[in-house]
Amino acid sequence: MDFQSIEGRFDLISTLLAAQPEKNEALEQFQSLLEKDYMEYTKIDDALSEEAGALLELQGIGRDLALFIRNKDVYSKNSIALAGGFSSGKSTFCNNLFCSRDITLPVSINPETAIPAYVISGEKAPNAFGLTASGASVELGVDSYKQMNHEFLKSFVFNLKDLMPSVVIHAEMPKDFEHICFIDTPGYNSAQTDDSYTSKDRETSLMFIRQAKVLFWFIGLDVTGTLTDSDVDFLQEVLRESPDKRIVIVCNKAENRSEDDLNKVLDHIVDILDDNEIPYEGVVAYSSRKKRSYGHRGSKSLDEFFTELNRQNTDKKRELQKRLKDVFRRHINADADRIQESLEKAKSLNKILLHFNSLMTDVESKFSDEAAKNRREAIRTGKKSSAAENLSQESIELIVKEITALKLNLEKDAAKYRENKDMATALSEKMNSVVADVFKDFAETTDDDYVSVPAGSFTMGDDQGVKDVRPAHTVRVNAFKMKATLVTQAEWRNVMGVKPMCKFAGDSLPVDQVYFDEAVAYCNKLSVAEGLEPCYDKKGTCDLSKNGYRLPTEAEWEYAALSFADIPLSECAWYKANANGQTQPVSQKQDNALGLYDMLGNVYEWTNDGWENYSAKNDDNPLVLGDEDHVIRGGCFSSGESSCSVKYRNLASEPGDVLIGFRTVKKV
């Protein structure tokens, strides 16, 4: 299109307005579940007070799901936002990663990035596509994209970005950037301006930075040479909205400085970041023109960042599924609280009923029919009588009848909220299944269900606790990966090929009557199925050096569970006070800081260790070999608060009065 002519601009506007996103079965299914099933559920369930907030969150998940479906080329990659002041060289940085100059980001001393661009290594390279506000994609072509600067935007009587908020640039890039998406944001200038377009660049830049995992903040060493106050203000604003944002400061155009000068610049910027409590992962001296680094401060070099991020992005799936779980966790917990409240009230009323029934028996034994008649006459005439004579059998019967009715209503309420809870659980699983279906084409592995636990030291045991957890001692564990959830009955069936023996049946419920040897067999079979080395020999002895699946050591379990101590038990565990006498579907309660669910309550968990009393000796990666008896941890649905503790230890040889399940771990 020739945007210099009126006809060309008219064609662009009409094309953008007419463009419609392609229909998607999974997205339509999600919307149907939201607009029909979820709304039907909320009509009959009044347990959650923040119902409006839950609906808004589900609608937001739907919008994000639509964005991913319609722009998989972008959202299937790990994103790095490129931001900074005018002329800091961020567009040049990106252009010099391209294998050819067939398409480039505009470069000028003027603010050229008018519309934010997603830059990816794509099969359609070289090309440019406009993303409309409705979610459609419109092919623009290389020549048309080159015309889109601030001057072009100002030629319209309205803001074109309202119709086309962003563009996608397909460029040929090396394999090193196959799974990386660079987001080129408008340059930020702290100076006030009357320009109606560039004055919104800060807001636009912030909006697109939110979408990125990592922020590369550019400084032009030929202009400022340091972090300015406005840079610091901007970075602090980014962190207020996204505290986990990973920040790398790129000191661009480093070829203009000497080595000593660059070291001083890097150290000075580190001091500014530290003084302003801005966390950073790297400060890099770099030359976009020469495509080389001149040194860095922090944990990683620029190349190491690219290597880390150049992998297929399945985090979007995890993020959407976690947000779904969080919404329905609130519903399920609210229903569970109502169930518990109704049953406790019914139990109290039952005690009162027993008291009145006993009282009625006493009345009947003490007074004959004639005595009862005289007592009623005394009440009618106002004549005083003894306390016993004031008792009216009819009144007691009426009270008993009313209390019985109240008790029955409370039991009906408990049954209603139990049905609602089951409905919310089923709806959560359906919506979660839709999200999983959207990502089914991704090359996923079992690792998607695992969280990384970093190496570290911690205090195992508790000097103030019971004898079994004393004395406290320092333990160090290596890094490992742990399954985020307990092994479910569906997962057991998929691996073992048979239905598990369980007290409470349900695909999303944890296995609950597993012997230690059976858990070992599951781990070895899963390892073989994925081409990994089995960790257990025929006697069930574990070799921690193997790369297959295994049970966690007792030390690994406690280390991974530590942050549950900071969460109220009712929010993170199914136990005696809220489980209503049975196990519950996994991952409905609050996860801990690592993203692990149900380590307290629901079912006990096998560990690799046999029982041994603690000693004060510090240890690295301890493992106590056991024969029949092994340590179990975490408590279960029927446990009290003291048993559902990060430090509490128990011993078992087989499932019995307590139900035992497990989760798996593996080497990093």
Side-chain angles (χ1 to χ4, degrees):
M1 295 181 190
D2 179 13
F3 294 153
Q4 302 306 315
S5 67
I6 294 176
E7 292 80 2
R9 295 176 192 186
F10 178 82
D11 287 344
L12 173 64
I13 294 169
S14 59
T15 301
L16 294 174
L17 289 172
Q20 294 295 322
E22 294 181 9
K23 289 189 175 181
N24 181 275
E25 184 178 344
L27 183 59
E28 290 178 354
Q29 186 180 356
F30 186 92
Q31 293 299 337
S32 176
L33 288 169
L34 175 58
E35 294 168 7
K36 295 179 181 178
D37 298 53
Y38 179 75
M39 297 309 294
E40 186 64 31
Y41 163 74
T42 56
K43 283 180 183 177
I44 62 174
D45 188 84
D46 59 355
L48 184 65
S49 58
E50 313 92 25
E51 201 170 87
L55 175 59
L56 288 173
E57 177 65 8
L58 287 177
Q59 290 172 337
I61 293 171
R63 285 193 297 272
D64 283 356
L65 194 62
L67 276 173
F68 178 86
I69 289 170
R70 293 162 180 164
N71 301 285
K72 282 188 180 180
D73 287 342
V74 170
Y75 290 100
S76 62
K77 301 179 186 290
N78 292 298
S79 53
I80 300 175
L82 309 179
F86 295 147
S87 301
S88 57
K90 57 187 179 59
S91 296
T92 302
F93 170 86
C94 202
N95 286 338
N96 285 336
L97 301 178
F98 300 167
C99 295
S100 73
R101 311 298 289 182
D102 294 332
I103 189 169
T104 58
L105 301 174
V107 177
S108 170
I109 61 171
N110 297 314
E112 287 292 332
T113 305
I115 298 179
Y118 299 98
V119 183
I120 61 174
S121 176
E123 296 177 357
K124 303 170 186 176
N127 213 336
F129 297 82
L131 301 182
T132 71
S134 65
S137 178
V138 174
E139 185 173 359
L140 300 172
V142 175
D143 293 336
S144 297
Y145 168 69
K146 289 180 179 179
Q147 302 173 47
M148 291 184 176
N149 56 23
H150 278 89
E151 292 303 316
F152 171 71
L153 289 188
K154 287 192 290 184
S155 67
F156 292 88
V157 295
F158 61 91
N159 192 345
L160 184 64
K161 287 192 285 188
D162 291 338
L163 293 183
M164 188 175 65
S166 59
V167 295
V168 179
I169 305 299
H170 290 254
E172 186 181 351
M173 287 193 279
K175 280 281 189 180
D176 296 342
F177 307 102
E178 181 181 2
H179 298 296
I180 295 176
C181 170
F182 294 99
I183 306 177
D184 187 32
T185 68
Y188 162 60
N189 191 337
S190 61
Q192 297 297 318
T193 175
D194 294 329
D195 190 313
S196 61
Y197 293 97
T198 56
S199 62
K200 293 184 178 179
D201 282 342
R202 178 189 176 97
E203 179 184 336
T204 302
S205 186
L206 278 169
M207 181 172 68
F208 281 84
I209 287 171
R210 291 187 196 109
Q211 302 175 18
K213 287 185 175 183
V214 179
L215 168 60
F216 280 12
W217 184 262
F218 283 79
I219 298 170
L221 292 183
D222 60 336
V223 183
T224 57
T226 187
L227 275 178
T228 65
D229 290 344
S230 60
D231 291 334
V232 170
D233 290 343
F234 193 99
L235 292 173
Q236 288 175 331
E237 186 171 356
V238 168
L239 289 170
R240 279 195 294 272
E241 293 186 357
S242 307
D244 297 328
K245 188 73 68 185
R246 302 172 67 186
I247 295 176
V248 178
I249 308 298
V250 180
C251 304
N252 201 12
K253 307 177 185 179
E255 70 274 15
N256 298 323
R257 302 290 188 101
S258 67
E259 183 178 346
D260 287 344
D261 198 13
L262 287 175
N263 284 326
K264 290 177 182 178
V265 168
L266 294 179
D267 291 338
H268 180 59
I269 290 174
V270 166
D271 289 340
I272 293 173
L273 294 169
D274 289 342
D275 290 344
N276 288 278
E277 298 183 341
I278 296 175
Y280 62 93
E281 296 207 20
V283 180
V284 182
Y286 187 79
S287 169
S288 293
R289 187 167 61 86
K290 294 189 175 183
K291 292 192 287 189
R292 60 163 289 194
S293 175
Y294 289 79
H296 72 278
R297 303 288 186 269
S299 59
K300 293 183 179 72
S301 68
L302 217 52
D303 288 340
E304 288 172 329
F305 266 106
F306 291 144
T307 300
E308 176 193 338
L309 293 174
N310 192 35
R311 59 174 177 79
Q312 193 171 57
N313 176 21
T314 56
D315 291 349
K316 193 66 179 177
K317 174 188 172 184
R318 290 197 195 100
E319 176 206 326
L320 293 176
Q321 289 184 321
K322 187 177 188 307
R323 286 166 63 188
L324 267 176
K325 285 179 180 178
D326 287 345
V327 170
F328 283 100
R329 174 175 52 81
R330 299 202 298 268
H331 278 296
I332 289 165
N333 287 345
D335 286 330
D337 289 344
R338 289 292 183 92
I339 294 168
Q340 196 69 25
E341 180 184 344
S342 298
L343 290 177
E344 287 177 357
K345 287 181 178 178
K347 187 177 180 181
S348 297
L349 289 177
N350 195 53
K351 290 181 180 178
I352 296 172
L353 280 175
L354 291 174
H355 173 72
F356 273 101
N357 285 330
S358 175
L359 195 58
M360 286 178 64
T361 302
D362 290 344
V363 169
E364 289 172 353
S365 64
K366 286 183 179 180
F367 300 105
S368 63
D369 290 343
E370 184 63 29
K373 181 179 178 181
N374 292 337
R375 189 169 64 257
R376 289 195 295 273
E377 178 65 21
I379 293 172
R380 186 183 67 78
T381 59
K383 183 179 178 181
K384 291 184 178 180
S385 60
S386 67
E389 291 175 340
N390 277 326
L391 289 170
S392 166
Q393 187 171 359
E394 292 85 349
S395 298
I396 294 174
E397 288 175 349
L398 181 61
I399 293 171
V400 168
K401 184 177 179 180
E402 292 294 329
I403 293 176
T404 301
L406 285 172
K407 176 175 171 287
L408 289 174
N409 285 335
L410 287 167
E411 290 172 346
K412 287 180 181 178
D413 285 344
K416 179 189 78 171
Y417 287 115
R418 191 173 288 113
E419 289 178 1
N420 292 351
K421 177 173 171 288
D422 292 342
M423 187 185 302
T425 300
L427 186 54
S428 174
E429 291 174 355
K430 286 180 181 178
M431 285 186 157
N432 188 68
S433 177
V434 172
V435 173
D437 188 53
V438 169
F439 291 84
K440 66 182 178 183
D441 295 331
F442 277 60
E444 296 180 46
T445 68
T446 314
D447 274 359
D448 290 327
D449 299 323
Y450 284 70
V451 300
S452 295
V453 182
S457 299
F458 74 106
T459 300
M460 190 170 182
D462 183 2
D463 285 332
Q464 307 303 315
V466 297
K467 179 181 178 181
D468 290 342
V469 301
R470 302 195 306 261
H473 53 292
T474 300
V475 169
R476 176 173 175 77
V477 296
N478 292 336
F480 61 96
K481 287 191 172 185
M482 175 175 271
K483 193 174 186 298
T485 66
L486 296 160
V487 172
T488 65
Q489 294 174 32
E491 289 169 333
W492 178 279
R493 190 171 60 249
N494 290 338
V495 172
M496 303 301 286
V498 295
K499 185 178 179 180
M501 292 293 294
C502 292
K503 183 172 183 178
F504 302 102
D507 279 355
S508 59
L509 295 177
V511 290
D512 61 26
Q513 291 188 317
V514 181
Y515 287 76
F516 181 84
D517 291 344
E518 292 174 325
V520 164
Y522 177 97
C523 292
N524 274 356
K525 193 162 186 177
L526 182 59
S527 297
V528 171
E530 294 195 10
L532 302 175
E533 303 166 313
C535 292
Y536 297 93
D537 62 19
K538 293 181 180 179
K539 295 181 180 180
T541 303
C542 185
D543 184 347
L544 298 181
S545 69
K546 302 295 186 181
N547 66 359
Y549 295 96
R550 59 177 175 81
L551 299 171
T553 65
E554 188 181 9
E556 288 171 337
W557 190 97
E558 183 170 322
Y559 178 59
L562 285 175
S563 59
F564 275 111
D566 300 325
I567 307 172
L569 190 61
S570 61
E571 295 180 15
C572 66
W574 293 112
Y575 65 116
K576 187 174 183 179
N578 64 7
N580 301 308
Q582 67 177 64
T583 59
Q584 300 292 333
V586 301
S587 71
Q588 288 187 341
K589 287 291 187 179
Q590 176 69 47
D591 56 340
N592 74 350
L594 291 171
L596 298 164
Y597 295 89
D598 296 309
M599 293 192 76
L600 305 181
N602 222 352
V603 293
Y604 272 98
E605 298 184 36
W606 285 115
T607 72
N608 251 326
D609 292 61
W611 184 275
E612 184 176 81
N613 291 330
Y614 286 164
S615 72
K617 179 184 176 183
N618 298 338
D619 207 349
D620 289 352
N621 302 300
L623 172 62
V624 178
L625 298 179
D627 295 323
E628 294 184 1
D629 294 340
H630 286 81
V631 175
I632 55 175
R633 287 293 206 117
C636 69
F637 72 93
S638 60
S639 301
E641 288 191 26
S642 59
S643 299
C644 294
S645 161
V646 170
K647 301 292 183 179
Y648 180 77
R649 310 172 74 203
N650 205 339
L651 181 68
S653 58
E654 61 184 49
D657 294 335
V658 297
L659 299 187
I660 308 175
F662 67 102
R663 74 181 70 221
T664 51
V665 301
K666 61 184 290 191
K667 289 178 68 175
V668 174

Short mmCIF file of all heavy atoms in Angstrom, two decimals, residues 97-140:
data_model
loop_
_atom_site.label_atom_id
_atom_site.label_comp_id
_atom_site.label_asym_id
_atom_site.label_seq_id
_atom_site.Cartn_x
_atom_site.Cartn_y
_atom_site.Cartn_z
N LEU A 97 20.80 -7.91 14.59
CA LEU A 97 20.64 -9.35 14.82
C LEU A 97 20.09 -10.05 13.58
O LEU A 97 20.12 -11.27 13.48
CB LEU A 97 19.71 -9.60 16.01
CG LEU A 97 20.13 -9.01 17.36
CD1 LEU A 97 19.07 -9.31 18.41
CD2 LEU A 97 21.48 -9.55 17.80
N PHE A 98 19.57 -9.24 12.62
CA PHE A 98 18.96 -9.81 11.41
C PHE A 98 20.05 -10.35 10.48
O PHE A 98 21.15 -9.80 10.37
CB PHE A 98 18.13 -8.77 10.66
CG PHE A 98 16.99 -8.19 11.46
CD1 PHE A 98 16.32 -7.06 11.02
CD2 PHE A 98 16.58 -8.78 12.65
CE1 PHE A 98 15.26 -6.53 11.74
CE2 PHE A 98 15.53 -8.24 13.39
CZ PHE A 98 14.87 -7.11 12.93
N CYS A 99 19.68 -11.41 9.75
CA CYS A 99 20.61 -12.00 8.79
C CYS A 99 20.67 -11.21 7.49
O CYS A 99 21.62 -11.35 6.71
CB CYS A 99 20.22 -13.44 8.49
SG CYS A 99 20.34 -14.55 9.92
N SER A 100 19.64 -10.42 7.22
CA SER A 100 19.63 -9.62 5.99
C SER A 100 19.00 -8.26 6.30
O SER A 100 18.43 -8.05 7.38
CB SER A 100 18.82 -10.32 4.89
OG SER A 100 17.43 -10.27 5.17
N ARG A 101 19.08 -7.34 5.33
CA ARG A 101 18.53 -6.00 5.51
C ARG A 101 17.23 -5.84 4.73
O ARG A 101 16.82 -4.72 4.43
CB ARG A 101 19.54 -4.94 5.06
CG ARG A 101 20.95 -5.12 5.62
CD ARG A 101 21.00 -5.03 7.12
NE ARG A 101 20.78 -3.66 7.57
CZ ARG A 101 20.80 -3.29 8.85
NH1 ARG A 101 21.00 -4.20 9.79
NH2 ARG A 101 20.60 -2.03 9.19
N ASP A 102 16.60 -6.97 4.39
CA ASP A 102 15.35 -6.88 3.63
C ASP A 102 14.27 -6.13 4.39
O ASP A 102 13.43 -5.45 3.81
CB ASP A 102 14.84 -8.28 3.27
CG ASP A 102 15.77 -9.00 2.31
OD1 ASP A 102 16.46 -8.30 1.55
OD2 ASP A 102 15.82 -10.24 2.35
N ILE A 103 14.28 -6.27 5.70
CA ILE A 103 13.36 -5.52 6.55
C ILE A 103 14.12 -5.10 7.80
O ILE A 103 14.91 -5.86 8.34
CB ILE A 103 12.10 -6.33 6.92
CG1 ILE A 103 11.06 -5.44 7.63
CG2 ILE A 103 12.44 -7.54 7.76
CD1 ILE A 103 9.70 -6.10 7.78
N THR A 104 13.93 -3.85 8.22
CA THR A 104 14.60 -3.34 9.41
C THR A 104 13.66 -2.43 10.17
O THR A 104 12.68 -1.91 9.61
CB THR A 104 15.87 -2.53 9.05
OG1 THR A 104 15.48 -1.44 8.20
CG2 THR A 104 16.90 -3.40 8.37
N LEU A 105 13.94 -2.26 11.45
CA LEU A 105 13.22 -1.27 12.23
C LEU A 105 13.76 0.11 11.85
O LEU A 105 14.96 0.26 11.61
CB LEU A 105 13.43 -1.51 13.72
CG LEU A 105 12.97 -2.88 14.26
CD1 LEU A 105 13.39 -3.03 15.71
CD2 LEU A 105 11.48 -3.04 14.11
N PRO A 106 12.89 1.11 11.78
CA PRO A 106 13.36 2.45 11.41
C PRO A 106 14.32 3.01 12.45
O PRO A 106 14.13 2.85 13.65
CB PRO A 106 12.07 3.27 11.35
CG PRO A 106 11.08 2.52 12.17
CD PRO A 106 11.44 1.07 12.03
N VAL A 107 15.36 3.65 11.96
CA VAL A 107 16.40 4.21 12.83
C VAL A 107 16.59 5.68 12.48
O VAL A 107 16.75 6.03 11.32
CB VAL A 107 17.73 3.46 12.68
CG1 VAL A 107 18.81 4.11 13.53
CG2 VAL A 107 17.57 1.99 13.05
N SER A 108 16.56 6.54 13.51
CA SER A 108 16.73 7.98 13.27
C SER A 108 17.00 8.66 14.59
O SER A 108 16.76 8.09 15.66
CB SER A 108 15.47 8.56 12.62
OG SER A 108 15.52 9.98 12.60
N ILE A 109 17.48 9.89 14.53
CA ILE A 109 17.64 10.65 15.76
C ILE A 109 16.30 11.11 16.28
O ILE A 109 16.16 11.54 17.42
CB ILE A 109 18.56 11.88 15.54
CG1 ILE A 109 17.96 12.83 14.50
CG2 ILE A 109 19.95 11.46 15.17
CD1 ILE A 109 18.69 14.16 14.39
N ASN A 110 15.25 11.02 15.45
CA ASN A 110 13.90 11.38 15.86
C ASN A 110 13.19 10.14 16.41
O ASN A 110 13.59 9.01 16.13
CB ASN A 110 13.11 11.94 14.68
CG ASN A 110 13.71 13.22 14.15
OD1 ASN A 110 14.06 14.11 14.92
ND2 ASN A 110 13.86 13.30 12.83
N PRO A 111 12.11 10.35 17.19
CA PRO A 111 11.36 9.21 17.72
C PRO A 111 10.66 8.46 16.58
O PRO A 111 9.63 8.90 16.09
CB PRO A 111 10.35 9.84 18.68
CG PRO A 111 10.23 11.26 18.25
CD PRO A 111 11.55 11.63 17.69
N GLU A 112 11.23 7.32 16.15
CA GLU A 112 10.72 6.64 14.97
C GLU A 112 9.73 5.52 15.30
O GLU A 112 8.88 5.20 14.50
CB GLU A 112 11.88 6.07 14.16
CG GLU A 112 12.68 7.14 13.43
CD GLU A 112 11.88 7.79 12.32
OE1 GLU A 112 10.99 7.15 11.76
OE2 GLU A 112 12.13 8.97 12.04
N THR A 113 9.91 4.84 16.47
CA THR A 113 9.03 3.72 16.79
C THR A 113 7.67 4.26 17.20
O THR A 113 7.40 4.53 18.37
CB THR A 113 9.63 2.85 17.92
OG1 THR A 113 10.94 2.44 17.53
CG2 THR A 113 8.77 1.63 18.16
N ALA A 114 6.80 4.43 16.21
CA ALA A 114 5.48 5.01 16.47
C ALA A 114 4.51 3.96 16.98
O ALA A 114 3.72 4.21 17.89
CB ALA A 114 4.94 5.65 15.20
N ILE A 115 4.57 2.76 16.37
CA ILE A 115 3.70 1.66 16.76
C ILE A 115 4.58 0.53 17.26
O ILE A 115 5.50 0.09 16.55
CB ILE A 115 2.84 1.18 15.57
CG1 ILE A 115 1.93 2.32 15.11
CG2 ILE A 115 2.01 -0.03 15.95
CD1 ILE A 115 1.06 1.97 13.92
N PRO A 116 4.36 0.04 18.47
CA PRO A 116 5.20 -1.03 19.01
C PRO A 116 5.24 -2.23 18.07
O PRO A 116 4.24 -2.58 17.45
CB PRO A 116 4.53 -1.38 20.34
CG PRO A 116 3.82 -0.13 20.73
CD PRO A 116 3.35 0.48 19.45
N ALA A 117 6.40 -2.86 17.98
CA ALA A 117 6.58 -3.98 17.07
C ALA A 117 7.07 -5.21 17.81
O ALA A 117 7.97 -5.14 18.65
CB ALA A 117 7.58 -3.60 15.97
N TYR A 118 6.45 -6.35 17.50
CA TYR A 118 6.94 -7.65 17.94
C TYR A 118 7.87 -8.16 16.84
O TYR A 118 7.44 -8.34 15.70
CB TYR A 118 5.81 -8.65 18.14
CG TYR A 118 4.80 -8.24 19.20
CD1 TYR A 118 3.60 -7.63 18.84
CD2 TYR A 118 5.03 -8.49 20.55
CE1 TYR A 118 2.67 -7.27 19.80
CE2 TYR A 118 4.11 -8.14 21.51
CZ TYR A 118 2.92 -7.52 21.13
OH TYR A 118 2.00 -7.18 22.08
N VAL A 119 9.12 -8.40 17.14
CA VAL A 119 10.09 -8.82 16.14
C VAL A 119 10.46 -10.27 16.40
O VAL A 119 10.98 -10.61 17.47
CB VAL A 119 11.36 -7.94 16.19
CG1 VAL A 119 12.33 -8.34 15.10
CG2 VAL A 119 10.98 -6.46 16.07
N ILE A 120 10.20 -11.13 15.41
CA ILE A 120 10.45 -12.55 15.59
C ILE A 120 11.15 -13.13 14.37
O ILE A 120 11.09 -12.58 13.27
CB ILE A 120 9.13 -13.34 15.83
CG1 ILE A 120 8.19 -13.19 14.63
CG2 ILE A 120 8.46 -12.89 17.11
CD1 ILE A 120 6.94 -14.06 14.74
N SER A 121 11.80 -14.26 14.60
CA SER A 121 12.37 -15.02 13.50
C SER A 121 11.27 -15.94 12.99
O SER A 121 10.91 -16.91 13.65
CB SER A 121 13.57 -15.84 14.00
OG SER A 121 14.08 -16.64 12.97
N GLY A 122 10.71 -15.62 11.83
CA GLY A 122 9.55 -16.36 11.36
C GLY A 122 9.70 -16.86 9.94
O GLY A 122 10.52 -16.37 9.15
N GLU A 123 8.90 -17.88 9.60
CA GLU A 123 8.93 -18.45 8.27
C GLU A 123 8.44 -17.47 7.21
O GLU A 123 8.72 -17.62 6.03
CB GLU A 123 8.06 -19.71 8.24
CG GLU A 123 8.57 -20.83 9.14
CD GLU A 123 7.65 -22.04 9.14
OE1 GLU A 123 6.59 -21.95 8.47
OE2 GLU A 123 8.00 -23.04 9.78
N LYS A 124 7.69 -16.44 7.64
CA LYS A 124 7.13 -15.49 6.69
C LYS A 124 8.08 -14.34 6.38
O LYS A 124 7.71 -13.38 5.71
CB LYS A 124 5.82 -14.93 7.25
CG LYS A 124 4.79 -15.99 7.57
CD LYS A 124 3.60 -15.42 8.34
CE LYS A 124 2.65 -16.51 8.78
NZ LYS A 124 1.54 -15.98 9.61
N ALA A 125 9.29 -14.43 6.91
CA ALA A 125 10.26 -13.33 6.73
C ALA A 125 10.67 -13.21 5.26
O ALA A 125 10.81 -14.20 4.55
CB ALA A 125 11.49 -13.60 7.59
N PRO A 126 10.90 -11.95 4.78
CA PRO A 126 10.63 -10.70 5.51
C PRO A 126 9.21 -10.22 5.26
O PRO A 126 8.73 -10.25 4.12
CB PRO A 126 11.65 -9.74 4.90
CG PRO A 126 11.76 -10.22 3.47
CD PRO A 126 11.58 -11.70 3.50
N ASN A 127 8.54 -9.80 6.32
CA ASN A 127 7.18 -9.29 6.16
C ASN A 127 6.77 -8.56 7.43
O ASN A 127 7.44 -8.65 8.47
CB ASN A 127 6.19 -10.42 5.87
CG ASN A 127 5.04 -9.98 4.97
OD1 ASN A 127 4.72 -8.79 4.93
ND2 ASN A 127 4.44 -10.92 4.27
N ALA A 128 5.65 -7.83 7.32
CA ALA A 128 5.10 -7.11 8.47
C ALA A 128 3.59 -7.29 8.47
O ALA A 128 2.95 -7.27 7.42
CB ALA A 128 5.47 -5.63 8.40
N PHE A 129 3.03 -7.48 9.67
CA PHE A 129 1.60 -7.69 9.84
C PHE A 129 1.08 -6.75 10.92
O PHE A 129 1.72 -6.60 11.98
CB PHE A 129 1.30 -9.13 10.23
CG PHE A 129 1.69 -10.14 9.19
CD1 PHE A 129 3.00 -10.58 9.08
CD2 PHE A 129 0.74 -10.63 8.30
CE1 PHE A 129 3.37 -11.50 8.11
CE2 PHE A 129 1.10 -11.56 7.32
CZ PHE A 129 2.41 -11.99 7.23
N GLY A 130 -0.06 -6.13 10.67
CA GLY A 130 -0.69 -5.29 11.67
C GLY A 130 -1.65 -6.11 12.51
O GLY A 130 -2.41 -6.93 11.97
N LEU A 131 -1.63 -5.95 13.83
CA LEU A 131 -2.56 -6.62 14.72
C LEU A 131 -3.66 -5.63 15.09
O LEU A 131 -3.38 -4.57 15.66
CB LEU A 131 -1.85 -7.12 15.98
CG LEU A 131 -0.71 -8.11 15.77
CD1 LEU A 131 -0.14 -8.56 17.10
CD2 LEU A 131 -1.18 -9.31 14.97
N THR A 132 -4.90 -5.95 14.75
CA THR A 132 -6.01 -5.02 14.99
C THR A 132 -6.51 -5.14 16.42
O THR A 132 -6.22 -6.11 17.13
CB THR A 132 -7.16 -5.29 14.02
OG1 THR A 132 -7.80 -6.53 14.38
CG2 THR A 132 -6.68 -5.36 12.59
N ALA A 133 -7.29 -4.16 16.83
CA ALA A 133 -7.86 -4.16 18.18
C ALA A 133 -8.79 -5.34 18.39
O ALA A 133 -8.98 -5.79 19.53
CB ALA A 133 -8.60 -2.85 18.43
N SER A 134 -9.38 -5.87 17.30
CA SER A 134 -10.30 -7.01 17.42
C SER A 134 -9.58 -8.35 17.46
O SER A 134 -10.20 -9.39 17.63
CB SER A 134 -11.29 -7.01 16.24
OG SER A 134 -10.61 -7.22 15.02
N GLY A 135 -8.25 -8.32 17.27
CA GLY A 135 -7.48 -9.56 17.32
C GLY A 135 -7.14 -10.15 15.98
O GLY A 135 -6.58 -11.24 15.90
N ALA A 136 -7.49 -9.48 14.89
CA ALA A 136 -7.18 -9.97 13.56
C ALA A 136 -5.78 -9.56 13.14
O ALA A 136 -5.19 -8.63 13.70
CB ALA A 136 -8.20 -9.44 12.56
N SER A 137 -5.25 -10.27 12.15
CA SER A 137 -3.92 -9.97 11.60
C SER A 137 -4.06 -9.55 10.15
O SER A 137 -4.73 -10.22 9.36
CB SER A 137 -3.02 -11.20 11.71
OG SER A 137 -1.75 -10.95 11.16
N VAL A 138 -3.45 -8.41 9.79
CA VAL A 138 -3.54 -7.85 8.43
C VAL A 138 -2.13 -7.74 7.86
O VAL A 138 -1.25 -7.11 8.47
CB VAL A 138 -4.22 -6.47 8.45
CG1 VAL A 138 -4.18 -5.84 7.06
CG2 VAL A 138 -5.65 -6.58 8.95
N GLU A 139 -1.90 -8.33 6.69
CA GLU A 139 -0.60 -8.24 6.06
C GLU A 139 -0.36 -6.83 5.54
O GLU A 139 -1.16 -6.29 4.77
CB GLU A 139 -0.47 -9.24 4.92
CG GLU A 139 0.92 -9.28 4.30
CD GLU A 139 1.09 -10.39 3.29
OE1 GLU A 139 0.13 -11.16 3.08
OE2 GLU A 139 2.19 -10.49 2.73
N LEU A 140 0.76 -6.23 5.94
CA LEU A 140 1.10 -4.87 5.53
C LEU A 140 2.16 -4.86 4.43
O LEU A 140 2.13 -4.04 3.52
CB LEU A 140 1.62 -4.05 6.72
CG LEU A 140 0.67 -3.87 7.90
CD1 LEU A 140 1.41 -3.23 9.06
CD2 LEU A 140 -0.54 -3.05 7.51
#
